[in-house]
DNA sequence: CGGTGTTTAATGATTA
DNA sequence: TAATCATTAAACACCG
């Protein structure tokens, strides 16, 4: 039972498994790959629950990284000093949570499991790592290009650049963190969790609608624990009952091929194109991430040697 | 030494 | 109820 005072509802355990939390973290960064420490940071910054018992859940998280094939390890390059490798999502893991529950996947992803129609998406971890490196380069250059397009949702623009065929199911993790998706049954997905998934917009959308909307000190009558996947306290910008925000989302519906499409790592939710700082005014987090002198993407770009 | 990564095992929760 | 998935604990190796 949540007690008033120090611990509030917001300290409740988020309705996300470690796998989904890790996927969120990875997807949140432009490079789609993060070192372990940054995954920790992402989770702790956004979910107060995980600011305690760190040894316990971090051990579990590491277990998940190693145990689940949906995560692949990308070794650092010589110009990327630091501890540990980068972790990324396997290009073929697709929408692991398309059933709508982020607590339990529909099916465990295994390499070599389902045949994948995309020839560009390799199944071997080594190839996948290389593939991701290449994708990161593409994204980076696209990012730079998008930076010169004022008044244009960079991510939306980029999605057309880096996501040629990357339609994601509404329950795709990227879409969840990009914008809250209202479940058909309201809160049916997470009954009693105190984690409503509706009437909320990702920070990006708020940024898109203008600055100054996110006032951390603003005393909004928000329910306890009423934060999004990013742990952000977000004003209700869309009105209750409306399922989808009238905002362009990087989703390219192709009804005929909705099923069976592989998840592509090139997918960039709009907000991801923003600088990491914009994700969380209250957290230095990713700003940070500069535990290593060179960010992966920057290092990648520096290492871009066309061949 | 501490952080990272791998692996095994036990247990709990959910789904088929 | 069996199968499957998630969580937790723990032991151990590797590496900067």
């Amino acid at each position: 039972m949540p007690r008033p005072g120090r611990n509030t509802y917001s300290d409740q355990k988020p309705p996300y498994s470690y796998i989904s939390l890790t996927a969120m973290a990875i997807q949140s960064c432009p490079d789609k790959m993060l070192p372990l420490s940054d995954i920790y940071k992402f989770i702790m910054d956004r979910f107060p629950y995980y600011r305690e018992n760190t040894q316990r859940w971090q051990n579990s998280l590491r277990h998940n990284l190693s145990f689940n094939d949906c995560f692949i390890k990308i070794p650092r390059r010589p110009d990327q000093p630091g501890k540990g490798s980068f972790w990324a999502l396997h290009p073929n893991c697709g929408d692991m949570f398309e059933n709508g529950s982020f607590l339990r996947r529909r099916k465990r992803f295994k390499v070599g499991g389902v045949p994948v129609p995309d020839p560009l998406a390799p199944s071997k971890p080594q190839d996948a790592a290389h593939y991701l490196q290449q994708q990161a380069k593409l994204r980076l250059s696209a990012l730079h290009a998008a930076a010169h397009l004022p008044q244009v949702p960079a991510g939306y623009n980029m999605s057309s650049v880096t996501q040629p065929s990357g339609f994601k199911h509404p329950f795709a993790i990227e879409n969840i963190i990009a914008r809250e998706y209202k479940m058909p049954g309201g809160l049916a997905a997470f009954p009693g969790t105190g984690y409503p998934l509706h009437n909320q917009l990702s920070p990006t959308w708020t940024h898109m609608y203008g600055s100054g909307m996110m006032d951390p000190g603003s005393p909004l009558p928000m329910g306890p624990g009423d934060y999004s996947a990013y742990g952000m306290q977000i004003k209700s910008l869309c009105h209750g009952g409306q399922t989808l925000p009238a905002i362009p989302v990087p989703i390219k519906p192709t009804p005929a091929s909705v099923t069976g499409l592989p998840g592509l790592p090139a997918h960039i939710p709009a907000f991801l194109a923003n600088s990491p700082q914009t994700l969380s005014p209250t957290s230095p987090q990713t700003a940070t991430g500069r535990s290593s002198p060179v960010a992966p993407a920057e290092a990648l770009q520096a290492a871009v040697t066309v061949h």
Side-chain angles (χ1 to χ4, degrees):
Chain A
M1 276 303 162
R3 292 173 290 104
R6 191 176 57 88
N7 290 329
T8 63
Y9 293 89
S10 62
D11 292 329
Q12 279 185 330
K13 186 170 187 171
Y16 308 109
S17 66
Y18 292 124
I19 294 179
S20 53
L21 287 172
T22 306
M24 279 184 210
I26 292 173
Q27 290 290 341
S28 78
C29 99
D31 312 319
K32 299 294 181 277
M33 48 190 252
L34 281 179
L36 181 63
S37 57
D38 283 355
I39 298 176
Y40 291 159
K41 264 183 271 182
F42 177 93
I43 294 174
M44 293 175 74
D45 282 346
R46 288 159 180 80
F47 302 100
Y49 175 86
Y50 290 110
R51 289 170 192 166
E52 295 176 353
N53 301 316
T54 54
Q55 187 170 355
R56 176 163 55 180
W57 69 263
Q58 288 180 354
N59 182 22
S60 299
L61 194 112
R62 289 195 306 274
H63 161 81
N64 276 282
L65 284 172
S66 291
F67 182 76
N68 292 289
D69 289 350
C70 59
F71 299 115
I72 60 176
K73 202 172 58 176
I74 300 178
R76 287 180 188 266
R77 294 146 74 122
D79 54 342
Q80 298 172 321
K83 226 177 177 189
S85 306
F86 294 104
W87 289 95
L89 284 170
H90 194 289
N92 292 352
C93 69
D95 299 341
M96 296 182 291
F97 304 95
E98 65 183 22
N99 58 350
S101 170
F102 288 85
L103 281 171
R104 186 184 172 94
R105 286 172 296 175
R106 182 176 41 92
K107 187 170 170 40
R108 193 194 301 265
F109 171 77
K110 279 291 178 184
V111 292
V114 265
V116 175
D118 181 8
L120 295 179
S123 54
K124 283 190 298 185
Q126 306 90 332
D127 296 343
H130 179 259
Y131 176 74
L132 284 171
Q133 297 264 6
Q134 298 297 326
Q135 291 297 323
K137 292 180 192 173
L138 290 175
R139 278 192 295 273
L140 192 78
S141 47
L143 236 163
H144 283 228
H148 303 312
L149 297 174
Q151 302 304 328
V152 175
Y156 190 61
N157 187 32
M158 278 184 51
S159 67
S160 62
V161 175
T162 65
Q163 187 195 4
S165 62
F167 167 71
K168 305 295 284 189
H169 188 279
F171 286 139
I173 194 83
E174 303 95 315
N175 289 332
I176 295 299
I177 60 181
R179 57 130 172 64
E180 299 296 348
Y181 185 86
K182 182 176 181 197
M183 302 300 165
L187 302 179
F190 310 122
T193 58
Y195 284 80
L197 291 179
H198 59 181
N199 286 352
Q200 297 173 357
L201 291 175
S202 80
T204 296
W205 298 124
T206 63
H207 282 290
M208 286 173 57
Y209 276 116
S211 58
M213 306 190 63
M214 299 296 295
D215 181 8
S218 169
L220 277 171
M222 249 179 6
D226 193 13
Y227 51 75
S228 73
Y230 272 105
M232 301 279 304
Q233 295 191 338
I234 301 170
K235 294 180 180 178
S236 298
L237 292 182
C238 56
H239 303 19
Q242 193 45 266
T243 298
L244 293 172
I247 303 172
V249 211
I251 290 182
K252 185 167 54 177
T254 49
S257 55
V258 160
T259 57
L261 265 180
L264 292 179
H267 178 87
I268 299 270
F271 71 93
L272 296 185
N274 291 335
S275 70
Q277 291 91 333
T278 64
L279 291 177
S280 175
T282 61
S283 79
Q285 189 251 334
T286 23
T288 152
R290 315 304 158 181
S291 47
S292 60
V294 181
E298 295 156 357
L300 275 175
Q301 191 209 21
V304 165
T305 52
V306 253
H307 71 285

